[in-house]
Every structure is written in C-alpha cells, then in structure tokens.
Amino acid sequence: MLKTAALAAASFAGVQLMSAHVDTSTPGADPVKQVEAWRAQRLERLKAPNGWLSLIGLHWLKEGKNSVGSAKGNDVVLAAGPARLGSITLKDGKATIEIDPKSAATVDGKALASAELLDDSHEKPTTVTFGTASFYLIDRNGKKALRVKDSEAKTRKQFKGIDSFAIDPAWRVEAKFEEFKPAHMLEIPTVLGTVDKMTVPGKVTFTRDGKSYSLLPVLETPDAKELWFIFADRTSGKETYGAARFLYADLPKDGKLLIDFNKAYNPPCAFTPYATCPLAPPENRLDLRVTAGEKKYAEGH
C-alpha cells in the first residue's frame, strides 16, 4: 500500500525534489514580504541546474532490450550525449543498464559496466550521467520511462522568467476544514491520459465576495505535513495555465487553515512537454477568477 501511494505521488510534480514548494512563512511576518521571499526561492529552484527547465526528454521503454544514445538508429534517441551510450533491458518491471565503455557515462558517479536502475518510487533513483546531461528511471502506473535532463538545455538557458499577478493580501483567505472520517479517495487525471487515486483528508471551504467555494486537497504521502491543492479557475486557459495550478497550505488547526492564493504556481508541464503532471479534477474547478499567483508562461509549449 505504501509503495502504491509512493508511485501515485511520484507521478506528480510536487513530490519530486524539484518541487516548487518552499516554506518561507514566519509567524507575525509581513505577508507581502513572505510571498516575495517565496517567489524568489521558487524561481531559484525552477532555474536550478537539475530543475524542471533542464528537461530535454521523456522516453518510454519497451519490454526487452532498448538501445540508448543520440544516434538515430537507437531505440531511445537522446537529445544530447554519446551516439551509443549503451542499452537498457526491461524485464518484469526491472530495468538493467549495460554501459558502452566508449560513452564515458557514469552510474551514480561511478564508472560501472552494468547496474540495476532504481526508479523514482525509491527515495533516490539511479542517475546515469554523461557530460552535462543525465537521466533516471520513472514509473507511471507500471510503465517505465527515462527522464532526461541537461543543465545546458535551451529551456533553462533562455528562460524568460515568470509573470505573476500583483501580490494582494485579500487573496490570503481563512478557510474552514471539514475532516472526512474515513478519508476519501479522489481520482486525479493526468496529462498522460491516466488516472491516479489520492487521499483526501477533508473538504476546505472559503468565502469570496459573499459566495462560498470549496476545494478538495490531497495528501502527497500518508505522513504529509501539508495539504496540496490541484485546482483550476475562471482564469485558467486565459491569464493562467489551463491544466491546473498548484498550491500548498499548512495542515488545519481547530478546523481552520490559511490559504494564500498569491502562492499559486504553475505545474512543470507549463514549462516543458517532458513532465507528467496532474490535471485539476472536476471537484477543484472553481467558478471564480483567482487573480493571484503565477500567470501563464509566455514561452510555454
């Protein structure tokens, strides 16, 4: 059960080490300065050498042997790297790599002839590095793929920055939390056309301009310390990214919590076609214009 939860969470951006979520909250601090600090750290994480902007490929593996390299004749054609890196054999859910000695590729920093590839359901997936590029194995509902990154990727080097709505304290709202006993399961669609089920601990309700709205937050892991909102609103597909935006909030206390929509941010899929993101479920599509947080990325695919 824990592994299933980990796999579901791993298919979403927030659970990755490249997540945009950072905690800059300080009790009693100026909320505007908190958001400014959050946005600065969010930007640095996004632009990091191994951040989402560094993605240059997503390659699904077939059962059996897969030749890997930048030459066109390979089963997996990399956008960067040696012409013949080696081969990956996928059998019964287990992936093993054979490294071409001429490629100079390393496995977790070591010059190995072969190794098993641990996917991203593990705390530390196996990383194969070659020059400024690297890849690791991801698992999405039992299907395996190589996620390829390059610190010299054009999407990173030519990044234009993020446009956001002006910080508005009015979008920092106090909400009510209704706990579900037992917790519910919510079906979350993904850009891959698949559906993952995630745990919903309760319903969150807030008021805006005299009207009541509700959202269903999910837990990334069974021991999550925060609520994760995957939502869309009346700005989606117009001023903001169409598929969804993400938002975190601290766990509720005494049936209440604070939601700061100024910290709503774009999923990785807004910046790259090589991510595997969730879509906002019908329950989280607000009949409201949330004019706060990040806007649509101008250079998005």
Side-chain angles (χ1 to χ4, degrees):
M1 181 176 178
L2 288 177
K3 184 175 181 181
T4 301
L7 287 172
S11 66
F12 299 148
V15 80
Q16 304 286 348
L17 293 175
M18 293 183 284
S19 166
H21 179 61
V22 289
D23 183 12
T24 58
S25 58
T26 302
D30 182 340
V32 173
K33 290 183 178 180
Q34 284 188 14
V35 175
E36 289 175 344
W38 179 89
R39 288 183 176 179
Q41 291 188 38
R42 145 72 165 162
L43 193 60
E44 288 306 307
R45 291 173 69 88
L46 186 62
K47 296 191 302 180
N50 66 339
W52 289 111
L53 296 173
S54 70
L55 266 63
I56 61 169
L58 180 67
H59 304 279
W60 298 96
L61 300 178
K62 66 184 181 185
E63 190 74 9
K65 189 174 182 179
N66 300 261
S67 57
V68 180
S70 59
K72 292 184 178 180
N74 289 291
D75 298 313
V76 172
V77 180
L78 301 172
R84 302 276 185 252
L85 187 143
S87 63
I88 297 174
T89 300
L90 183 63
K91 183 177 181 181
D92 300 328
K94 179 180 177 180
T96 305
I97 189 168
E98 300 285 339
I99 299 289
D100 186 320
K102 297 179 181 179
S103 70
T106 61
V107 180
D108 286 338
K110 300 177 181 178
L112 302 178
S114 63
E116 180 182 353
L117 297 179
L118 300 180
D119 61 44
D120 64 344
S121 66
H122 296 78
E123 183 176 354
K124 188 177 180 181
T126 306
T127 300
V128 177
T129 303
F130 39 99
T132 60
S134 65
F135 64 68
Y136 60 88
L137 194 68
I138 67 171
D139 184 300
R140 299 296 178 265
N141 296 305
K143 296 182 179 180
K144 308 286 188 180
L146 300 182
R147 170 164 285 164
V148 191
K149 301 184 292 183
D150 187 349
S151 59
E152 295 297 313
K154 288 184 178 179
T155 45
R156 177 172 178 262
K157 292 296 184 178
Q158 299 175 8
F159 179 55
K160 304 298 183 181
I162 300 175
D163 190 17
S164 299
F165 291 100
I167 300 172
D168 184 354
W171 279 109
R172 195 169 185 258
V173 302
E174 186 176 275
K176 296 180 180 179
F177 180 77
E178 177 187 342
E179 185 179 3
F180 291 157
K181 294 184 178 181
H184 295 182
M185 298 302 291
L186 181 63
E187 292 188 340
I188 305 289
T190 77
V191 295
L192 299 177
T194 58
V195 175
D196 286 297
K197 291 184 177 181
M198 298 195 74
T199 302
V200 180
K203 181 173 70 173
V204 171
T205 305
F206 66 94
T207 300
R208 177 77 179 178
D209 296 330
K211 295 184 179 180
S212 181
Y213 302 92
S214 63
L215 290 168
L216 296 180
V218 296
L219 299 177
E220 284 187 291
T221 58
D223 59 348
K225 304 301 181 184
E226 298 159 307
L227 299 179
W228 184 26
F229 297 89
I230 306 166
F231 77 97
D233 63 90
R234 287 295 183 183
T235 69
S236 300
K238 300 172 184 176
E239 298 103 311
T240 63
Y241 184 60
R245 284 190 289 170
F246 298 164
L247 180 64
Y248 283 89
D250 291 335
L251 294 176
K253 294 181 180 179
D254 300 322
K256 295 181 180 180
L257 70 153
L258 197 63
I259 303 177
D260 193 342
F261 284 99
N262 293 290
K263 295 182 179 180
Y265 69 94
N266 292 322
C269 291
F271 305 99
T272 173
Y274 305 123
T276 57
C277 303
L279 306 175
E283 296 86 346
N284 284 357
R285 293 188 173 273
L286 297 171
D287 187 17
L288 168 71
R289 281 178 51 81
V290 180
T291 53
E294 292 184 359
K295 294 182 178 181
K296 183 166 53 179
Y297 181 49
E299 302 297 319
H301 63 94

